[in-house]
Amino acid sequence: MNGSVIIWIAWAVVLFWAIGAYNRLVRLRSQAIAAFAALDDQFRHYVSLVQLSFPITTDDVVSTRAGLAAAAQQFESSLRAARAHPLDALAMRALETAYEALNASWLRLRNEPPDLAGPPLPETLQQQWEHITMVAEIAKTDFGRHVQIYNEAIVQFPARLLAWLFGFKPAHII
């Protein structure tokens, strides 16, 4: 066999492998983005619940309810940024921080002592929050699993070379 034929066959095998590895990385990235879409949908329920239940008024400037509404606004802004770049580590860290702040604000409001009007959070709101949290945790777990698979794929050799060449970056798990 001629030496140039062997070289061409080797190049064809490398090219075939590279196309397959690139397609795998793109598929894994797409699956992680699709998993974020489900998580995004659940996270929007938090914002809707807070905005519909605790509209911001001018006399609520310093109350715990105003803090919850502000945390929901910040969470919505972080969610919008993460939606634009779901695998960007900085956007996902900001979303994670905003999520923690929203949960802390909710707990702060829930733990306030009742007044003459009753408890600070009606039982139905607390049940809705817990339901959203349960479904969101499932979506977070699914997203985390897809991100972990994607992150593992981009650091494996020799796919690491393609990830570097095409700019695949590791994602942050919420």
Side-chain angles (χ1 to χ4, degrees):
M1 219 183 213
N2 194 351
S4 66
V5 171
I6 294 174
I7 292 173
W8 280 107
I9 291 173
W11 275 109
V13 168
V14 168
L15 180 64
F16 181 74
W17 167 85
I19 291 171
Y22 175 78
N23 286 339
R24 177 177 180 257
L25 292 176
V26 169
R27 181 178 40 83
L28 291 174
R29 183 177 62 184
S30 296
Q31 289 172 348
I33 291 170
F36 179 77
L39 180 61
D40 176 43
D41 186 46
Q42 293 308 313
F43 278 175
R44 286 186 206 180
H45 292 303
Y46 282 122
V47 175
S48 297
L49 180 66
V50 171
Q51 288 177 343
L52 293 174
S53 302
F54 305 105
I56 297 178
T57 61
T58 56
D59 55 335
D60 265 354
V61 177
V62 198
S63 73
T64 309
R65 290 176 184 229
L68 178 62
Q73 285 179 340
Q74 178 60 42
F75 181 66
E76 184 178 31
S77 296
S78 296
L79 189 57
R80 199 174 310 117
R83 192 178 303 127
H85 304 286
L87 298 182
D88 180 51
L90 292 176
M92 295 310 287
R93 283 190 185 104
L95 179 63
E96 183 177 33
T97 302
Y99 179 69
E100 290 168 359
L102 180 66
N103 277 318
S105 294
W106 183 269
L107 287 174
R108 199 172 308 119
L109 180 61
R110 187 187 75 188
N111 292 333
E112 276 189 348
D115 58 8
L116 294 176
L121 283 175
E123 186 64 31
T124 57
L125 282 181
Q126 183 60 31
Q127 289 173 351
Q128 288 175 341
W129 185 270
E130 289 170 1
H131 176 72
I132 294 168
T133 300
M134 182 182 65
V135 177
E137 285 300 318
I138 293 168
K140 274 176 54 177
T141 302
D142 187 48
F143 174 68
R145 184 176 53 82
H146 284 289
V147 167
Q148 184 176 3
I149 292 168
Y150 166 76
N151 285 343
E152 289 171 358
I154 64 172
V155 297
Q156 292 174 348
F157 185 81
R160 175 187 295 176
L161 299 174
L162 288 174
W164 171 79
L165 181 66
F166 290 105
F168 290 96
K169 305 271 188 237
H172 179 72
I173 298 173
I174 295 182

